[in-house]
Amino acid sequence: CLGMMLGWPLIGVAIFLAVILGGAISTGLLFLKGKTLKSMVPFGTFFCFSAILSLFYGERLLHWYLALLGF
């Protein structure tokens, strides 16, 4: 559903942001002793938040990231 709403390049941005945000928050929870390595962290919340970010700022984030890579 989000893929149809965001379109091809922005769904990639949304997935990339979801993985980065989920990893950063999970790492923070591990260091703060809120979770353990066996604890489950729901991925859907990060995916929804990143889809909203991609909807509003996706083009800018995509161009920034491609410029960072030299494209």
Side-chain angles (χ1 to χ4, degrees):
C1 231
L2 287 174
M4 290 188 325
M5 182 179 74
L6 294 174
W8 159 238
L10 294 184
I11 194 64
V13 173
I15 292 171
F16 180 74
L17 280 176
V19 170
I20 296 298
L21 288 174
I25 303 261
S26 298
T27 303
L29 287 173
L30 279 172
F31 283 128
L32 294 175
K33 306 290 185 194
K35 297 281 183 179
T36 64
L37 286 176
K38 293 188 178 190
S39 298
M40 295 180 68
V41 177
F43 186 66
T45 54
F46 300 114
F47 197 63
C48 289
F49 184 67
S50 67
I52 292 170
L53 281 177
S54 296
L55 185 64
F56 292 113
Y57 303 109
E59 290 290 330
R60 285 189 223 158
L61 288 171
L62 182 63
H63 290 297
W64 172 77
Y65 186 67
L66 289 177
L68 188 69
L69 291 176
F71 289 104

